[in-house]
Structures are given as C-alpha cells and as structure tokens.
Amino acid sequence: MIYAILADGFEEIEALAPVDILRRGGIDVKTVSIMPTKKVMGAHNIPVEADIMINGVVPEDMEMLVLPGGAGHALLDASNEVHALINYCIVHNLYIAAICASPSILGKKQILDGKMATCYPGFEKYCYGANMVNKKVITDGKIITGKGPGAASEFGFEILSILKGTDVSNQLKEEMQYND
C-alpha cells in the first residue's frame, strides 16, 4: 500500500498527479488526511476528500510514503503521526517519496545525509547533509525527491518505475501521451 499524506495547503498537482499515475499503473494508493476531517483544502482552493484518516494507516501494509509539498508541508512536519510513519519507513527500509518543500522534512531528520536530493528552490538549506542536484526527480536508495509542481508527473512515473519496472512506466507514458 502506498500512502499519500495530505494536509491543508498541499500542492494539488504534486499529490494527485502521482496518485493518478500510480493507480493507472495498477498500484494501490490511499490518500490520507491529517486534518480533522477527510476533506483537505489544496493550495489553490481545490477541496479533496481523502480516502482515509491518518489513524486508518496500517504501517505493516505500507510499501511507500508520499509527501507532497506546498504550504501544507509545514503541517506534515508538525504532525507526530507523520513523523512516526517516516520513522517506520526508515526502520523497515521502505521507500519515502517527497516533493517540493517536503524533502526539507526528511532533511531536518537527517535522513538525506550523504544522499543526492532535489527540492523546491529555497528549501535546500533544510536538507541537511544532502548532495543537492538540479534535477526534476532523483532517487537515492529508498529516498525519492522531486523539485516542485512541474516535476509532479515525472515524480509519479519515477515511483511507478521503481515499484513496477520501467517497462510498465514507459507503457503508461505512451498511453497517457506523456512523451508526445
């Protein structure tokens, strides 16, 4: 199970494009609200109803955690439940994917130490110990980072490629007219 964590102010494209790509690729993804209700308000005032609440996450079923960026990253960073899931991923050698401002959450926890990473410009200073690269998406070990909204689809395809292989990812790119 892939869990994409949502908080008010999340960048809609950074959460929903990867969720869409992964679901098209046959991967079970649940959107998760850390707000008091399943309704989460995106950065551009697009309300999204999450599939489940944070207390519905089953860590033992988790294959990957996805953290979208935007102003909502501060709420993710302030959530003990989100930090517990990040810690679970680290202890159990699971993937964590973070885009835009959210790699800074991992950086502050020193998870990026010695790893190549990318993030939204201006958040590099919080990516402690990371070797910052100017790419849309970079994977280093079990950490996948994305630069920002313009990298959302590429971020989703990278995750799909890791979980299902490049053939599946490339086939979906063709079906979605991504490379045309």
Side-chain angles (χ1 to χ4, degrees), residues 38-57:
K38 285 185 177 181
K39 183 178 176 184
V40 186
M41 188 59 71
H44 301 96
N45 297 317
I46 301 171
V48 173
E49 184 167 339
D51 297 313
I52 61 172
M53 299 294 295
I54 189 81
N55 62 1
V57 170

Side-chain angles (χ1 to χ4, degrees), residues 7 12 20 26 30 35 54 71 120 136-137 147 169 173 175:
E12 295 94 341
D20 179 273
K30 297 267 188 239
M35 305 313 295
I54 189 81
Y120 194 79
K136 284 187 176 184
V137 179
K147 194 164 194 171
S169 181
K173 284 179 183 178
E175 289 171 9

Side-chain angles (χ1 to χ4, degrees), residues 139-155:
T139 298
D140 191 338
K142 297 284 184 159
I143 305 296
I144 305 160
T145 53
K147 194 164 194 171
S153 291
E154 193 166 328
F155 183 68

